């Protein structure tokens, strides 16, 4: 394949030794996921499932900035504005099926979460069997900042993080370090970025677990773990308003910073996200959570702040979204409940 041809491929697929290598290849867009990319990954997973040559699957990102910044939300915005919201429905349906497929894949799936790994980047890596972070990793679910809510199984993962750390991550939308990601259950192995090329080369012939045991080192101390005592107390509140009151009453500077950050997010998204997290904690499987997230994602487009959030962030880039409602107290329980109802076109149905 010529260099030019490779640049045109949004996903590069290759079998090297016993390693099936999936490289997300939109580095200028920080490897943001498109429908073409999701379809390519699903097709490769299906093909390699029965391919005896492939013993391990690797998921990585092209370029030096990160694995993946999430879904191509600008493309979704454009589709909805063009009167074609079905494109967003089709994308999320395919993406969530990919997330579920990764979680149950019969062969080891190694996700290299180096650099930026946000939203859909978490979904394409953190449901695999071997999740690798580095000193450069920035892992997060920033959806509340664009009038959306954590998806791709994000509410499943965050609701199962120790204590209330996942709630803190979801409501602030702030990225965390590789060490924090391991402590929160989003990753497994800490590898220095300078060792990644050697690690990948070793995976072409070696057993995934043995290779990672060789290259992984002890992660630094997790900052979230050190802050867990006050985070667990604050985010146990039953409402977003209660959480903000608790944050503002604390002496820790980080608590005040978190309150300021949360106050800039979509009030609707904050309340929907908190309910989604609490509900996800009670659901029994990733598939059940993905079904719930599908309902919420579609509702964010049709009745939430998604379009306004993307406009302010990626279209006009004025960073001044006009959230509606603009205040938390104006987001009623019935409004939030509507985000969890079955969509007109039917549920995703992953859980049967």
């Amino acid at each position: 394949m010529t260099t030019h041809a490779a640049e045109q491929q949004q996903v590069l697929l290759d079998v090297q030794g016993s390693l099936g290598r999936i490289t997300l290849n939109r580095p200028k867009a920080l490897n943001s996921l498109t429908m073409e990319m999701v379809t390519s990954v699903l097709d490769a997973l299906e093909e390699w499932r029965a391919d005896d040559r492939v013993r391990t699957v690797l998921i990585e990102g092209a370029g030096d900035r990160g694995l993946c910044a999430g879904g191509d939300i600008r493309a979704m915005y454009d589709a909805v504005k063009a009167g074609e919201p079905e494109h967003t429905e089709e994308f999320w349906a395919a993406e969530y099926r990919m997330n579920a497929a990764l979680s149950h894949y019969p062969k080891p799936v190694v996700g290299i979460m180096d650099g930026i790994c946000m939203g859909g980047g978490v979904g394409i890596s953190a449901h695999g069997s071997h999740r690798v972070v580095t000193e450069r990793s920035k892992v997060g679910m920033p959806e509340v900042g664009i009038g959306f809510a954590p998806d791709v199984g994000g509410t499943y993962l965050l609701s199962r993080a120790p204590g209330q750390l996942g709630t803190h991550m979801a409501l602030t939308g702030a990225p965390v370090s590789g060490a924090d990601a391991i402590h929160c259950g989003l990753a497994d192995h800490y590898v220095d970025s300078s060792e990644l090329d050697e690690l990948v080369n070793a995976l072409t012939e070696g057993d995934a677990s043995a290779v990672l045991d060789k290259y992984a080192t002890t992660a630094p101390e997790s900052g979230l773990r050190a802050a867990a005592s006050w985070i667990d107390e604050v985010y146990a509140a039953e409402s977003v308003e209660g959480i903000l009151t608790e944050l503002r009453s604390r002496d820790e500077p980080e608590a005040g910073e978190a309150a300021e950050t949360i106050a800039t997010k979509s009030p609707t998204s904050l309340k929907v996200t908190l309910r989604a997290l609490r509900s996800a904690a009670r659901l029994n499987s990733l598939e059940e959570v993905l079904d719930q997230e599908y309902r919420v994602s579609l509702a964010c487009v049709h009745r939430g702040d998604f379009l306004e959030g993307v406009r302010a962030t990626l279209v006009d880039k004025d960073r001044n979204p006009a959230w509606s409602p603009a205040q938390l107290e104006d987001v009623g329980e019935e409004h939030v409940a509507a985000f969890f109802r079955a969509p007109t076109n039917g549920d995703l149905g992953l859980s049967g």
Side-chain angles (χ1 to χ4, degrees):
M1 183 183 295
T2 65
T3 301
H4 179 72
E7 288 176 350
Q8 304 306 307
Q9 295 290 326
Q10 294 189 6
V11 175
L12 304 180
L13 302 173
D14 194 16
V15 176
Q16 300 174 348
S18 61
L19 182 67
R21 195 166 180 175
I22 298 173
T23 306
L24 308 181
N25 191 40
R26 296 182 69 215
K28 292 180 181 178
L30 235 170
N31 302 318
S32 296
L33 295 171
T34 64
M35 187 66 169
E36 177 183 331
M37 295 168 77
V38 170
T39 301
S40 294
V41 172
L42 279 168
D43 289 347
L45 291 174
E46 188 59 32
E47 178 183 345
W48 292 342
R49 179 186 296 269
D51 189 335
D52 292 337
R53 294 177 305 159
V54 177
R55 291 167 48 197
T56 302
V57 173
L58 175 76
I59 297 177
E60 62 186 348
D64 57 5
R65 296 170 62 199
L67 171 65
C68 173
D72 189 343
I73 57 173
R74 175 59 194 265
M76 299 180 213
Y77 173 92
D78 290 340
V80 175
K81 296 296 282 187
E84 300 173 334
E86 65 273 10
H87 291 322
T88 64
E89 298 171 15
E90 292 166 1
F91 173 77
W92 282 320
E95 185 181 24
Y96 300 173
R97 289 191 179 98
M98 177 187 69
N99 303 143
L102 287 166
S103 74
H104 298 299
Y105 203 65
K107 300 178 181 183
V109 178
V110 180
I112 305 295
M113 304 165 76
D114 184 40
I116 291 175
C117 182
M118 305 283 189
V122 173
I124 203 170
S125 57
H127 298 302
S129 58
H130 297 69
R131 294 90 49 93
V132 177
V133 288
T134 74
E135 79 284 354
R136 303 188 301 200
S137 293
K138 294 181 179 179
V139 182
M141 302 297 294
E143 288 80 3
V144 290
I146 57 164
F148 198 47
D151 66 334
V152 299
T155 59
Y156 179 87
L157 295 165
L158 294 179
S159 67
R160 285 155 175 79
Q164 295 293 330
L165 297 182
T167 309
H168 171 71
M169 286 184 63
L171 296 186
T172 62
V176 301
S177 69
D180 288 333
I182 290 176
H183 180 66
C184 289
L186 303 176
D188 311 295
H189 305 278
Y190 192 90
V191 177
D192 191 278
S193 60
S194 65
E195 302 277 358
L196 289 178
D197 288 343
E198 286 189 26
L199 182 150
V200 172
N201 185 60
L203 285 171
T204 63
E205 300 296 338
D207 171 80
S209 294
V211 169
L212 285 163
D213 285 345
K214 176 181 178 181
Y215 285 94
T217 60
T218 302
E221 181 65 26
S222 163
L224 283 183
R225 180 176 184 175
S229 59
W230 69 262
I231 287 177
D232 288 351
E233 290 181 15
V234 164
Y235 289 92
E238 295 183 359
S239 67
V240 178
E241 292 94 329
I243 288 170
L244 283 172
T245 297
E246 291 293 328
L247 283 169
R248 289 166 176 153
S249 71
R250 303 290 302 198
D251 294 330
E252 294 86 358
E254 297 85 356
E257 293 167 6
E260 291 181 9
T261 297
I262 292 171
T264 67
K265 311 303 183 184
S266 160
T268 297
S269 290
L270 289 169
K271 289 200 171 184
V272 169
T273 294
L274 184 61
R275 173 166 168 165
L277 285 170
R278 301 298 195 242
S279 175
R282 298 188 296 270
L283 296 175
N284 295 319
S285 69
L286 172 62
E287 285 78 9
E288 288 181 88
V289 174
L290 287 167
D291 282 344
Q292 173 176 276
E293 290 178 348
Y294 183 71
R295 293 181 172 193
V296 169
S297 295
L298 298 189
C300 284
V301 170
H302 296 297
R303 66 176 74 244
D305 283 325
F306 177 76
L307 292 178
E308 175 60 12
V310 177
R311 179 208 64 76
T313 304
L314 292 178
V315 181
D316 297 335
K317 300 181 181 180
D318 57 26
R319 302 285 174 176
N320 187 31
W323 304 129
S324 180
Q327 304 296 325
L328 280 168
E329 57 266 28
D330 295 328
V331 182
E333 291 185 9
E334 178 56 29
H335 183 57
V336 173
F339 283 70
F340 294 83
R341 296 190 187 121
T344 304
N345 294 338
D347 275 324
L348 183 57
L350 280 176
S351 58

